[in-house]
Amino acid sequence: MERKKTNLCVSVDVTKSAEILDIVRQVAPYVCMVKTHIDIVEDFTIDLANELKRLADELDFVIFEDRKFADIGNTVELQYSAGVHKIASWSHLTNAHVVPGPGIITGLGAVGKPLGNALILLAEMSSAGNLASGEYTEKAVQMAREAGLDWVVGFIAMHRVDKADDPDFLVITPGVGLDVKGDGRGQQYRTPHEVVYDSGCDVIIVGRGIYKNKDAVASEAKRYQEAGWKAYEDRLQR
Ligand code: 6AU
């Protein structure tokens, strides 16, 4: 983030490998992180993952596979390491729901920790009517504390869910848009200023706000990078 002066993660939720790579190349100068949903890709081969990894090294960003694991430890261990996608072999970061309890964290950790990967937990969600609040959110934070920063590095959350004396967790936040407030399917958007300055989050995740207008992908990425970084610097100087 410091090196590139960006707290922007672009969510590349499109279904063709070539389109993903095209968007990634355009947004790369403006991002610290690229987020994938690898199970929506229609023409997936491991070449896509290898090319993403190569671009991540060359253009200096982290790959976050938004898999939202949600099963018992033994099952997620297999889902993370095996299958067609072999997620653990190419994504630096992935996420998990805490619904199954801490076994999901240790199961994923058995695969990801030796590879130097990291995990974030869903402590809150951006969609209207979601159930991740109150005691559920607090328990997610407690599970992260118990897991240790060498594996669980932060949260998907809508505000600063950790405490001042906690390890330096990352709060990564979706539901960010400068132009619209929702998508008609429950998604709720706030501005980078609301998310980073008002709510104390660290990284903004932006999907459709950036890739939807195919002729303005790079300029929209720049716009969100500038808004996100300004809100972050303003917060640090407060
Ligand atoms: O900017 P959007 O609305 O086009 O895309 C938001 C992205 C999508 C969602 O799957 C994801 O962020 N997301 C998540 C994540 C990252 O875990 C959690 C959540 O609560 N809301 C949400 O939108 O790829």
Side-chain angles (χ1 to χ4, degrees):
M1 287 167 65
E2 281 295 334
R3 199 160 51 233
K4 293 176 80 176
K5 304 279 178 240
T6 173
N7 57 346
L8 172 64
C9 168
V10 174
S11 182
V12 194
D13 300 338
V14 297
T15 57
K16 296 279 193 304
S17 298
E19 201 184 342
I20 293 174
L21 293 171
D22 177 45
I23 292 168
V24 169
R25 287 190 191 100
Q26 292 193 63
V27 303
Y30 309 107
V31 303
C32 59
M33 201 182 283
V34 162
K35 187 174 83 59
T36 53
H37 277 300
I38 209 66
D39 59 356
I40 68 173
V41 181
E42 290 167 357
D43 57 356
F44 177 85
T45 69
I46 207 69
D47 293 346
L48 170 64
N50 289 335
E51 181 61 6
L52 281 174
K53 221 161 69 166
R54 201 191 62 73
L55 288 170
D57 287 341
E58 183 191 327
L59 304 171
D60 203 12
F61 59 82
V62 165
I63 306 171
F64 168 19
E65 163 54 22
D66 185 3
R67 175 61 179 75
K68 293 190 183 69
F69 291 100
D71 213 322
I72 61 166
N74 184 64
T75 301
V76 295
E77 195 174 328
L78 293 165
Q79 289 172 322
Y80 186 33
S81 61
V84 174
H85 295 121
K86 302 189 181 8
I87 292 167
S89 72
W90 52 267
S91 82
H92 307 107
L93 188 66
T94 191
N95 53 356
H97 286 293
V98 293
V99 149
I104 191 168
I105 300 173
T106 40
L108 292 168
V111 176
K113 261 171 105 167
L115 295 169
N117 294 345
L119 181 69
I120 57 175
L121 303 179
L122 283 114
E124 293 181 318
M125 292 194 73
S126 63
S127 44
N130 77 78
L131 306 180
S133 59
E135 195 187 338
Y136 182 94
T137 301
E138 280 169 32
K139 286 203 165 151
V141 177
Q142 189 54 34
M143 282 188 219
R145 288 184 189 115
E146 283 160 14
L149 253 199
D150 62 340
W151 176 227
V152 175
V153 297
F155 308 97
I156 294 289
M158 302 300 117
H159 75 291
R160 194 89 234 158
V161 289
D162 50 346
K163 301 277 182 297
D165 58 350
D166 270 325
D168 195 9
F169 288 122
L170 273 175
V171 177
I172 304 180
T173 308
V176 178
L178 282 164
D179 304 317
V180 289
K181 290 282 152 221
D183 68 353
R185 288 186 174 80
Q187 179 67 297
Q188 306 175 107
Y189 292 113
R190 294 180 296 162
T191 64
H193 183 85
E194 288 172 300
V195 166
V196 176
Y197 188 87
D198 296 342
S199 299
C201 306
D202 301 312
V203 175
I204 55 171
I205 296 176
V206 184
R208 285 163 285 181
I210 288 177
Y211 66 75
K212 216 173 160 194
N213 180 353
K214 284 188 182 170
D215 297 326
V217 171
S219 60
E220 287 297 327
K222 183 165 188 283
R223 183 172 166 235
Y224 278 94
Q225 177 262 323
E226 287 172 356
W229 195 250
K230 181 172 189 320
Y232 179 67
E233 288 199 313
D234 287 350
R235 191 185 94 208
L236 294 185
Q237 278 157 24
R238 182 159 55 188

